[in-house]
Amino acid sequence: MITASEENYLKSVFKLSEKDKSVSTNDLAQSLGTTPASVSDMVKKLSEKKLLAHQPYKGVKLTQAGKKIALDIVRKHRLWEVFLTQTLEMKWDSVHEIAEQLEHIQSQDLIRKLDAFLGYPRFDPHGDPIPDENGKIEERKTILLGEAKKGAVLLLAGVLTDNSDFLQYLDQQQVRIGSRLTVLEILPFDKSVSLSTGKKQITFSALVCQQLLMMEEV
Amino acid sequence: MITASEENYLKSVFKLSEKDKSVSTNDLAQSLGTTPASVSDMVKKLSEKKLLAHQPYKGVKLTQAGKKIALDIVRKHRLWEVFLTQTLEMKWDSVHEIAEQLEHIQSQDLIRKLDAFLGYPRFDPHGDPIPDENGKIEERKTILLGEAKKGAVLLLAGVLTDNSDFLQYLDQQQVRIGSRLTVLEILPFDKSVSLSTGKKQITFSALVCQQLLMMEEV
DNA sequence: AAAATAATTTAGGTTTGCCAAAATTATGAT
DNA sequence: ATCATAATTTTGGCAAACCTAAATTATTTT
Ligand SMILES: [Mn+2]
Ligand SMILES: [Mn+2]
Ligand SMILES: [Mn+2]
Ligand SMILES: [Mn+2]
């Protein structure tokens, strides 16, 4: 038996994992909104369960078993987000919080049927890929808008944060997943970028550009 | 803040409440699959929160505030059951367990949108009425099949248990909510009832008949 | 009206997940 | 190499929700 809290820890380790590096106690505490002491407690438990590999004072990595569970939670989270936006027509800035609850509902059958009902979507409303039942994730070649060159024509493939204010702002600018953006100018002073959406012209700060994943037109 | 466990206690009190009678500690323990000692603990807490009115050694009743919460949980449970059967096409014998989890998801907006998406259903897949947002429940005149007279022609309006085996059995007999049943014979020996479904003839034991809510054709 | 039985509450204890403060280990600066 | 700082772990403790066993109160039987 695995608890909702344990699932959240595994999911956070997964999200903070880069390449083969281990995840630090402090980063985990930050990501989970808890304290380093609590993380040490839970890390001990999850290591005993062989879901995390822990090197004291050096951080943790997911084991195979731990990664499997993490991917399953991510899958459920993203499928529910698709359901909330597509089926119930909720806004993309309000679904994350609810999906944080729904991702812990336990029923294989339910998720399989939900997946089928939604038509086996491969990306969630924020452009994040949805792992399949075996934990396989579709890879795409993407760059940050902040790395694009002048004149580039790119599609918005994803956003790197679920922050509600940020998503509402994009909505307001009529920028959403799939939007075609043309880089008109990159200001040397602050690296802010002026763009054409086809309909109008907008400027994004460098900070915003670091959150936008872009891809080539297919 | 109210926990899932507290919600379950309030729901159980609601379900066990008859007329103006109070609900006993033992009955609650039975219904919740826990011990009388645990019930006493929780009853104390919920009384302090003014959600239950407790007379020591005499049982509990819901306060107005407690009833409001209980009805809200029941509403969510039944709406999710409709979603699972109608939208995801799950069987009516498998949705109860999952709805027990989904009923604790916290989001007014979600439930309102789910209700709208489902077309404001008034009954769940087992024929139980769905309270509206104000906790109002639609009343119907129903009788148990066990109380019907020979020759009566009645529609199945609901079932009194979510027991999976029982529901599967009804499915097998092609008896579901809305089925028209004609009482052919009531055996004096064991009060079992033979019926016509229109297509075929079946016999239900007295125990089964005590679980079937019937109503007059509209 | 006692005594026996049943229902309920209380006492004492466990597990899970959390925290603040103290102790330990690692890392960066001198 | 030593010292200072930062990161991590350990210690001791708390609250929620549960349990068993013991004590208390209510109800039924004699
Ligand atoms: Mn999300
Ligand atoms: Mn997402
Ligand atoms: Mn149910
Ligand atoms: Mn039901």
Side-chain angles (χ1 to χ4, degrees), chain A residues 15 77 81 95-96 99-100 124 126 162:
Chain A
K15 286 197 173 171
H77 181 101
E81 282 189 346
V95 297
H96 177 73
E100 289 285 306
D124 85 357
H126 312 103
D162 285 311

Side-chain angles (χ1 to χ4, degrees), chain B residues 150-152 182-186 193-196 200-202:
Chain B
K150 178 173 170 177
T182 306
V183 178
L184 302 176
E185 209 69 60
I186 303 171
V193 175
S194 68
L195 304 147
S196 162
K200 58 175 199 165
Q201 192 175 323
I202 52 179

